Each structure stands twice: as C-alpha cells, then as structure tokens.
Amino acid sequence: MTEHTLGASLFKVAIVSDTHVNEKEDFSASPYPANAEANPRARHVFSQVNQIAPALTIHLGDMVNPVPELPSYAAAADNFHAIAKDLESPIHLVPGNHDIGDKPVKWMPAGMVNADFIALYRKHFGKDYYAVTREHCHFVIINSPLLNSGDPAEAEQAAWLEDTLARHQDERVFVFSHYPPYISDPHEPGSYDNIEDPARSWFLDLLRRYKPEALFSAHVHNFWYDRIGETDYYITPSTCFVRHDYSEMYRIDGGDQKGRNDAAKLGFLTLDIREHGHVAHYHRSYGATLAPGDGPARPVAPRPHVKTAALPHVFVDMRHGWAEEMVVAPSGAVDEFRRKRARNDYPLMALWEMGLPGLRVPIQDLADPRIRRRMELLTRLGHRFQVYLYGMPDAEERQLLADHAPLLDRLELVLNWEEIGDLAPDIAALKSETGVTIHLSRVNRKDGAKHTGSRFNHLISHGFTVAETDELESFFQNHPGLIDGAQFTIPRSLSPWETAGSLAAFRDRTGQTPVLYVKSTEASPAKTFDDETANARRFAETAMAGLGFGIDVVLDTMDDADRGYFTRTGLVDRRFNPRLAGELVSAIALQTAGGGWTAAPGDVPVLEREGRRLWVADATEASEGDWLCPRSGLPGEPGDKPDTALILRTAPA
C-alpha cells in the first residue's frame, strides 16, 4: 500500500499502553527503578499526545501498577486520572490485567479476573467493553482478561462482540485488546503473554470472518507486527518499561536494568486514519519525564513511515537475520515452565521510521516459509526485495523463483565473469521461466590482487567497478535483452555521489539499470570502522545520491557489525535503536517525501528542488542559516545548538 492509495488523512488517534501509574510519585512496589518513574513518564507522554492533537486517545490497559486486590489500587487509579485530566482529547480505556485482574493462569500468584474485580474496575475506570464511533470508524474495546474465565460476563461480552463486528462488517472497524492473541505465531503455546485456547481460536476466527482493519494489543511492552487474515495486527510498547525477558532478541548485553530500562523502546503510537487505510506511527519518548506542574514536554520527533515517505531508491543489506525467531529462556518471573519463541520485529520498526523500503536478502530468506511470509506482508506495505545468490540457481531454486516472482523487485546473480559467455543461455532460460528482473554482479576477478606486501588478501570482491563499464557495454551489445541491469560496488574510499553521477550517465547511454552497492569498509577485515559521524555522513550522502540521480543504492549495514570481520557502526545499534546514521536517513526521507529532488550541479552532495537546496553539514554550520536536527526532526531556532555532530542544512538555490 503506497501513498497514492492511502488518500488524505481524516483524523488521528493516539494509542498509549502500559503506563503502570503508581500510588505515589517516584515510588513503585516493583524492585526496578524504571517502574518508579511511571508517573512522570506517563505525564510526559500525555503532554506529547496533546501536541499531536488527536481526535481521541485510547489506552490499551495497565493504566495502574497495583493489582485490584491491593489496597493501593484506588490511590493509583486516582493518580492516573489526575495525570490523564491534562489530555485535551477524550480518552477511552481498555482493561489490562493490572486493572481488572489476570487472565486465568494458575501458576501466577496475582488474582484472576472475577465479578468483584470487574465491579471495582467499573467504579474507577468505567465500562470494560464497549465501542466508540468517530467519522464512520468504529473503535471496539474488549475486556481480554475475561476470555477463558468462565465468568458469565465472558459469554455476554462474546455475544456483544460478535454482534458488533457483524453489524459493522462492511464499515471500518479497529479492535483494541490488552492481551495479544499471540506474539509471533498463532499456533504458539499459551504463556503469560498471550490469550490461550479455546478463546484464542474463537477470537482469531472472528477477526478472519469480519475483517476489521486493525487489531492493537499491548501487555508485552515490546513491538510486533503481523496480519491476521485481512487485519493488520500490532503489539505496542509501553510508556514506562520494557519487558526485559525479551532482551534475548538482541545479541548484546542486557543494558540498563538488564534491559528493563531500554528507554529508546518506550513511547506511544499515532494511528493516522486515511481515506483508504491507515498508518501506525511510533513515537519514541526515550523515557523522558515531567514532574507535576511542569511542561510542556519536548516536542515529538516527526518521523516518516515507509507507507507515506519512503526513500524510493534506497535498499539496505540485511546481513543479520531480520525476521528470525529467538528462544526466550524461562525467567522465573512471568514464565517458568517452558521456553517461549519470539520473532524480533524491531528491525521492521527501524525500517519503517527511516522510510527504507528496500531490503537486500539472500535467496535462503525466500526459501524459508516463515521469512517468505514476512516478505509477503512487507511487499503489501510497499517494501521491495532484492534477492541475491552466488552462481546459477539449481532446479529447486528456479522453481522457488518462479513461484514467488512477485515478491522480487529483482534477482541479483553473482557470477564468475570468466564464465559469463557460457552461462548466457542459462540466464536467458531462467529469465523466461521465472519472469524475474535479473541484475548481474561479478565476483573474484582472476586478475585481482591477492597479495598486499607480505599479506594475503583472503577477501571476497563482488560487483562491477565503474572502470569496467566498457566491458559491460560490450557484453550488453553482444547479448541484447539478456539481463536488466548490473550491480556496481565501491569501497569506503570512493564517493557514492560521484559514482552515482557516473552510473546515471551509464544508464542514459546503455538503457541498462545500474545498482550501486556502497561499502562502509575497505582493506583489512581486522580494521574497525566505528567513526559513527563519518559512517552517518556516508549513509546519508548515499541515500541522497540515490534520490538525486535516480539510481538504486544499497547501504551495506543495517545494524552494527560489532563482532566478526569488518566491524562497523550501522543505521541502528544491536538493540535496533537509532544511531545518528538512522536519524539522518529518517530526516532525509521526511524532508524529501514530496519527491522532485534532483542532484544539484557540482561534486558536492546537494539536493535541490523548487529553489531550495538540502545537504548534510557539520553541526558548526548551524549558525549559518536554516538547519534541521536529525535527532529531534525539527528545524533549529536562532541560537539553538545541535546535540548531534551532523545536521541537515537547507538554503535557497
């Protein structure tokens, strides 16, 4: 789904979850310091919600931290209402397990939902299931802890929900539940984190039958995205703390409070209701706080979304697994009697907020049914896949490519150039059988240097160089229509801007489509390329080169390569939290969303459109004219000093 199909924005809904407000300011019965900051963090997020000015706000549950059986529950509820009263939009509440009691789960000591807890919830928070209508959109809120409880209220809610969905099945419906039906797999075992059968199957069947536009859930304090039939399915992070048993998803140490205070993962969502479809924007609060009476909060950082502000010519090499499932160990806290499996969807969140539609992936991703399903979901959202493999595909791979050709933006064939003449008939047959767009890349030149002084260069080289364009052009002339383009690669020492300009001329001259793979590395694999500022500039200027010259470019690093060979910083760190490079790319995507930007004349990376210019600059240039901070996403005011080493400058052409 792309920008032109979404249409105009009708209104916005703020979605907040798991505030865990305490009975006292700066205090929590939880042993983690992050929990003690629940009240000031909620206050900060509600202040940011006001800046967005949504038509309504929906809280996905766990408004408070004390459970209903505790005497501190009422005081916490009062504190929540005191904080929420500053909201300028009406707020609608979804009952969470801390608010109305746990789902039926016998191994947990907390009290399960029951008639007394429901009555207490209604006294402090109002209805526990109901619907709200706004501009022909129906927002359906359910009491998910009630599912599987056997309480008479469960059957009453079930009848109401089915009737509500049936009556509005030809209208736009959004469903809100505290508990998610599942985390990564609809067939996963029951755990503290999901809805168990039989209610899970019943609920999923309802969604598939009546096809609401989206389901939003919470409870697990992390982000996931999936699709249930025709329903987009989001699990949303918390404003207060991260469920840190899921820190197993990152190959790095746990971090602050063993991962519980991974503050870059805290925040809220904006649901942008469009004429046709919606956009779910995530806003990182970074755990910022407001004391009572203080405010307003710092402005929300505007970020793009790949649905509406994608960088059309930018791919990123997904070297690490981007849709893999991790095993989460029994923690002894919320789960103890079996391991859980969870897919890490933070790479997807990062791609969305950087406006990066293109992913370069190996053919093994296409061959894996689980990952291929993710490719199918992402293609629907506007993502593009460059699938690569070394050598000609075998019979099984040829069938795979033919069966799933719509998922490929192009196939990158990495071949030994010395064999290309003999392989031409096979390439022609492959193209005919599969219908895929084929780009050629070369590997391991026989005349390439294998020795540097006394050292052996045990390195892989792939992609053409600009110096080889004459050789390529001769090949195109001798094999017209055989391939659709070629991939070029440059090391760190070469400019992506100048190379993209040369490849644009090559494209115009030959009619072939070049792709530029831009490496962050060079020379020794033992060298560390960890100058984050230099890397960020290179990533940003590569993205600008793609835009300016209309050339597809590939960034060689998504998340940090912090072990193994050619270690370097990436667009995001190993927790998939933004680095300066990612913030710069995100800002460029947002600034260029309207299209029409071209390369300004000259050798310096500058974009221009309608009398304006845009370029990456050192922070010292902030005093010289208009500029934008990549971290805040906002224009700098006179006298402001950037808190990043690089900025985006704008000026008249």
Side-chain angles (χ1 to χ4, degrees):
M1 188 174 291
T2 55
E3 183 177 14
H4 71 276
T5 62
L6 286 169
S9 177
L10 302 178
F11 62 96
K12 292 182 173 64
V13 179
I15 299 177
V16 178
S17 75
D18 294 280
T19 49
H20 285 263
V21 166
N22 294 304
E23 63 271 28
K24 298 177 184 177
E25 190 78 7
D26 302 321
F27 165 85
S28 177
S30 167
Y32 294 97
N35 283 66
E37 296 191 76
N39 297 24
R41 285 179 171 178
R43 196 175 290 112
H44 179 274
V45 163
F46 285 163
S47 178
Q48 289 194 315
V49 167
N50 285 339
Q51 298 172 32
I52 292 173
L56 63 152
T57 297
I58 294 177
H59 194 302
L60 285 172
D62 280 3
M63 279 75 74
V64 299
N65 197 58
V67 292
E69 60 203 87
L70 293 178
S72 53
Y73 177 88
D78 290 344
N79 277 343
F80 174 82
H81 290 301
I83 294 170
K85 72 177 175 59
D86 291 331
L87 279 172
E88 296 166 3
S89 58
I91 185 169
H92 304 283
L93 307 177
V94 179
N97 57 300
H98 278 254
D99 311 313
I100 206 166
D102 271 10
K103 69 171 187 173
V105 52
K106 295 181 179 179
W107 69 84
M108 289 294 287
M112 292 185 289
V113 62
N114 57 54
D116 290 340
F117 289 172
I118 293 172
L120 185 65
Y121 177 90
R122 290 175 177 174
K123 173 183 175 182
H124 287 282
F125 296 109
K127 298 177 182 178
D128 55 309
Y129 62 89
Y130 57 99
V132 177
T133 299
R134 170 87 185 196
E135 296 187 26
H136 307 292
C137 293
H138 304 280
F139 302 94
V140 178
I141 288 166
I142 68 169
N143 176 358
S144 57
L146 196 58
L147 300 180
N148 289 324
S149 69
D151 190 283
E154 180 185 3
E156 295 169 7
Q157 175 181 246
W160 169 85
L161 178 59
E162 184 154 3
D163 176 68
T164 300
L165 295 178
R167 283 188 294 108
H168 300 295
Q169 63 180 315
D170 296 323
E171 303 172 68
R172 300 184 68 178
V173 175
F174 299 84
V175 180
F176 301 86
S177 163
H178 181 70
Y179 280 113
Y182 62 87
I183 305 303
S184 295
D185 186 334
H187 304 292
E188 69 193 20
S191 73
Y192 177 77
D193 298 332
N194 57 28
I195 297 171
E196 298 188 50
D197 272 329
R200 182 197 298 178
S201 295
W202 167 81
F203 187 37
L204 294 179
D205 287 345
L206 278 185
L207 297 175
R208 294 186 182 107
R209 188 188 322 161
Y210 295 113
K211 305 173 184 177
E213 189 167 324
L215 165 67
F216 291 89
S217 298
H219 181 62
V220 199
H221 296 223
N222 281 281
F223 168 81
W224 283 275
Y225 169 78
D226 202 3
R227 193 163 169 83
I228 303 168
E230 297 183 27
T231 300
D232 286 309
Y233 170 37
Y234 305 87
I235 303 177
T236 64
S238 164
T239 68
C240 177
F241 63 89
V242 177
R243 272 281 306 282
H244 53 311
D245 49 339
Y246 287 96
S247 294
E248 295 280 5
M249 294 191 296
Y250 323 118
R251 292 186 173 95
I252 197 168
D253 64 276
D256 191 359
Q257 297 171 44
K258 309 305 179 186
R260 195 174 186 87
N261 199 40
D262 189 353
K265 291 186 172 62
L266 305 178
F268 67 101
L269 272 71
T270 299
L271 173 60
D272 183 5
I273 307 290
R274 297 296 190 100
E275 290 177 308
H276 310 287
H278 64 273
V279 184
H281 283 276
Y282 182 63
H283 309 287
R284 299 179 189 265
S285 67
Y286 288 93
T289 61
L290 277 183
D294 287 351
R298 60 174 173 76
V300 175
R303 295 296 180 207
H305 192 285
V306 77
K307 282 186 178 182
T308 55
L311 289 164
H313 291 288
V314 184
F315 287 71
V316 60
D317 195 352
M318 306 303 288
R319 292 177 174 273
H320 294 125
W322 59 276
E324 63 181 334
E325 288 191 348
M326 306 292 186
V327 176
V328 179
S331 66
V334 293
D335 279 296
E336 176 66 352
F337 306 112
R338 70 181 307 145
R339 301 186 188 99
K340 297 182 287 194
R341 296 186 68 88
R343 185 184 59 252
N344 178 12
D345 277 356
Y346 279 106
L348 177 58
M349 175 188 279
L351 289 168
W352 283 1
E353 68 179 351
M354 290 186 290
L356 289 178
L359 293 78
R360 179 181 184 261
V361 301
I363 197 169
Q364 69 195 81
D365 283 4
L366 188 68
D368 186 318
R370 286 179 177 267
I371 300 178
R372 186 170 64 244
R373 181 177 178 274
R374 303 302 292 172
M375 295 172 69
E376 292 168 353
L377 295 183
L378 268 60
T379 300
R380 179 187 171 275
L381 298 176
H383 287 278
R384 303 162 59 195
F385 287 91
Q386 175 176 325
V387 174
Y388 66 90
L389 79 158
Y390 170 72
M392 295 298 297
D394 60 26
E396 185 176 348
E397 290 169 333
R398 293 170 88 100
Q399 190 61 54
L400 184 72
L401 292 167
D403 291 344
H404 303 288
L407 297 181
L408 276 69
D409 191 73
R410 56 178 165 258
L411 174 66
E412 175 194 338
L413 278 180
V414 186
L415 302 174
N416 287 50
W417 188 245
E418 292 74 24
E419 302 172 0
I420 192 63
D422 295 336
L423 292 175
D426 290 338
I427 296 173
L430 175 66
K431 188 172 182 180
S432 175
E433 291 170 15
T434 64
V436 299
T437 298
I438 295 178
H439 278 58
L440 189 62
S441 179
R442 70 179 296 173
V443 67
N444 292 343
R445 295 156 184 81
K446 64 180 181 181
D447 56 347
K450 296 184 179 180
H451 297 272
T452 302
S454 61
R455 298 185 184 276
F456 178 70
N457 291 336
H458 197 160
L459 307 175
I460 298 170
S461 170
H462 64 92
F464 293 93
T465 69
V466 175
E468 294 166 333
T469 54
D470 289 344
E471 192 176 358
L472 259 178
E473 289 183 42
S474 176
F475 176 79
F476 296 150
Q477 291 170 2
N478 293 331
H479 301 85
L482 180 65
I483 61 173
D484 303 285
Q487 179 151 302
F488 295 80
T489 300
I490 58 171
R492 188 181 185 92
S493 56
L494 294 184
S495 163
W497 185 264
E498 293 178 6
T499 307
S502 298
L503 293 182
F506 167 83
R507 174 197 59 204
D508 297 341
R509 190 168 62 247
T510 65
Q512 293 286 327
T513 303
V515 176
L516 176 59
Y517 188 96
V518 178
K519 296 177 69 173
S520 301
T521 61
E522 192 164 11
S524 170
K527 183 176 180 181
T528 296
F529 301 88
D530 59 357
D531 185 334
E532 186 177 359
T533 301
N535 291 346
R537 183 187 289 274
R538 185 166 178 83
F539 281 127
E541 292 182 351
T542 299
M544 293 172 63
L547 287 172
F549 294 102
I551 297 291
D552 281 359
V553 296
V554 183
L555 309 174
D556 80 335
T557 312
M558 172 68 171
D559 48 310
D560 291 354
D562 61 358
R563 63 207 75 186
Y565 307 104
F566 295 111
T567 53
R568 57 201 183 272
T569 59
L571 294 163
V572 295
D573 64 23
R574 288 307 289 266
R575 295 186 181 90
F576 299 92
N577 296 331
R579 283 200 176 274
L580 174 59
E583 292 168 334
L584 263 176
V585 168
S586 178
I588 292 168
L590 198 61
Q591 292 301 305
T592 60
W597 292 85
T598 58
D603 297 331
V604 180
V606 177
L607 296 175
E608 64 179 7
R609 187 189 71 172
E610 299 175 354
R612 298 293 298 178
R613 290 192 167 190
L614 179 73
W615 70 96
V616 177
D618 292 329
T620 53
E621 289 190 32
S623 61
E624 298 178 13
D626 294 339
W627 59 280
L628 185 108
C629 174
R631 185 144 298 156
S632 70
L634 300 171
E637 298 291 338
D640 285 353
K641 292 185 177 180
D643 58 358
T644 57
L646 298 174
I647 57 175
L648 281 183
R649 281 288 314 279
T650 63

